[in-house]
Amino acid sequence: MDKLAAINIQNCHFAYAPDKPILQIPSFVIAPGTTVFLRGPSGSGKSTLLQLCTGMLLPQSGQIHVLGESISTLSASARDRFRAANIGVVLQQFNLIDYLSVYDNIKLAQHFTHQDPPTQHTAYLDELLQALRLSPEIQQQKANALSVGQQQRVAILRALINRPKLLIVDEPTSALDEAAKTSFMETLFTLQRMTCCTLLFVSHDMRLTKGFDRVVDLADIDDISTAAVSTADTGLNEWPNTSIKGVQ
Ligand SMILES: Nc1ncnc2c1ncn2[C@@H]1O[C@H](COP(=O)(O)OP(=O)(O)OP(=O)(O)O)[C@@H](O)[C@H]1O
């Protein structure tokens, strides 16, 4: 097993209920430092897979190594610490704490790593603010006073503040117009290059695949999606072929 991979999933089975299997993944490996776009129809299990990669969900069987750590066999508290220190997560809803300021939202992310905040991060924080085109003053604003675009950028800043080696981004652009989507993707790639993190990105929007090292169709790695695709009219032919540009 390649323990140096950013993500290494082997023989993984997951179900929310015993009679309703969601994922059956024989093997899925993501090399460190690469960018991967994961696509698949609504309800196929993309968000579930991301949650397995963060250790928020545990598989019924199989192995999931993240950055060389067997995340699904860590204790709950070790898993939380590992996630806080190594994985940045940006979800569709951003999950900022509304009544806290931007600064406190960021500080909270640092707190969960059990590292001393925040002086050693100051230069890096300034760099992130600049890359995300956020003014330093925004740190004093309450999260619920921000526009959707600002909330999204703060959510990315919070995900990157601990310099994660793995950044997981789930459908972050659905509330944005076309111009904002383009600018979001440019910023995301700038930050990925700046931090050299591995990026796993999930979206329905095939127009966003440009620039990714790999575009992976869930049906190509998941036996359950494969079965669904082969027995249903999914409109799969509307999608371009899976492209693999970089190393696995
Ligand atoms: N907490 C849960 N309990 C039970 N079933 C769930 C739960 N979360 C998701 N599911 C089911 O698991 C399946 C996969 O859901 P998931 O959210 O992973 O799909 P998805 O591909 O991310 O969908 P979308 O693109 O619409 O976000 C769906 O059938 C969904 O109804």
Side-chain angles (χ1 to χ4, degrees):
M1 183 178 294
D2 180 5
K3 293 208 168 159
L4 295 177
I7 295 176
N8 189 340
I9 299 177
Q10 298 295 325
N11 303 315
C12 173
H13 173 84
F14 178 82
Y16 288 102
D19 57 342
K20 199 182 168 220
I22 302 291
L23 292 169
Q24 179 65 51
I25 299 181
S27 178
F28 180 45
V29 181
I30 296 180
T34 58
T35 57
V36 176
F37 184 107
L38 179 67
R39 70 183 190 186
S42 181
S44 57
K46 303 180 298 298
S47 300
T48 302
L49 176 56
L50 294 190
Q51 289 181 73
L52 287 165
C53 292
T54 63
M56 314 272 285
L57 291 174
L58 299 176
Q60 275 77 30
S61 60
Q63 296 87 43
I64 301 180
H65 283 84
V66 176
L67 306 166
E69 189 69 66
S70 172
I71 192 161
S72 48
T73 57
L74 292 174
S75 70
S77 58
R79 210 163 46 237
D80 287 345
R81 277 198 304 280
F82 179 82
R83 183 185 315 115
N86 294 288
I87 307 176
V89 183
V90 182
L91 303 174
Q92 197 170 2
Q93 313 80 351
F94 310 138
N95 288 348
L96 297 175
I97 299 182
D98 273 359
Y99 58 86
L100 292 183
S101 68
V102 167
Y103 180 77
D104 286 337
N105 267 282
I106 295 167
K107 222 169 66 174
L108 199 59
Q110 294 177 317
H111 169 76
F112 285 124
T113 64
H114 302 280
Q115 292 167 0
D116 280 342
T119 43
Q120 77 267 30
H121 287 299
T122 303
Y124 178 59
L125 175 59
D126 288 345
E127 230 179 311
L128 288 177
L129 284 166
Q130 204 176 352
L132 287 158
R133 297 182 313 285
L134 291 166
S135 73
E137 292 74 44
I138 205 169
Q139 293 177 80
Q140 310 322 321
Q141 288 192 32
K142 290 270 192 314
N144 60 10
L146 305 178
S147 72
V148 172
Q150 287 171 327
Q151 286 181 46
Q152 179 197 49
R153 281 176 282 153
V154 169
I156 297 173
L157 193 159
R158 187 186 54 178
L160 288 172
I161 193 65
N162 296 321
R163 298 177 188 271
K165 295 182 194 74
L166 173 63
L167 179 61
I168 288 183
V169 182
D170 193 1
E171 284 286 0
T173 59
S174 44
L176 302 181
D177 62 29
E178 288 308 309
K181 275 185 197 181
T182 305
S183 145
F184 170 81
M185 294 310 291
E186 282 169 4
T187 307
L188 189 61
F189 279 117
T190 301
L191 289 167
Q192 188 271 332
R193 283 191 294 270
M194 189 174 122
T195 61
C196 299
C197 65
T198 305
L199 172 63
L200 177 57
F201 183 98
V202 161
S203 177
H204 290 110
D205 191 343
M206 292 303 293
R207 287 166 300 183
L208 303 180
T209 57
K210 191 163 164 258
F212 280 86
D213 295 323
R214 292 172 68 193
V215 178
V216 174
D217 192 332
L218 187 62
D220 288 342
I221 59 165
D222 171 37
D223 288 348
I224 292 169
S225 296
T226 311
V229 167
S230 63
T231 54
D233 177 12
T234 59
L236 193 62
N237 292 336
E238 291 160 23
W239 290 346
N241 289 334
T242 298
S243 70
I244 298 182
K245 203 175 94 188
V247 285
Q248 185 174 282

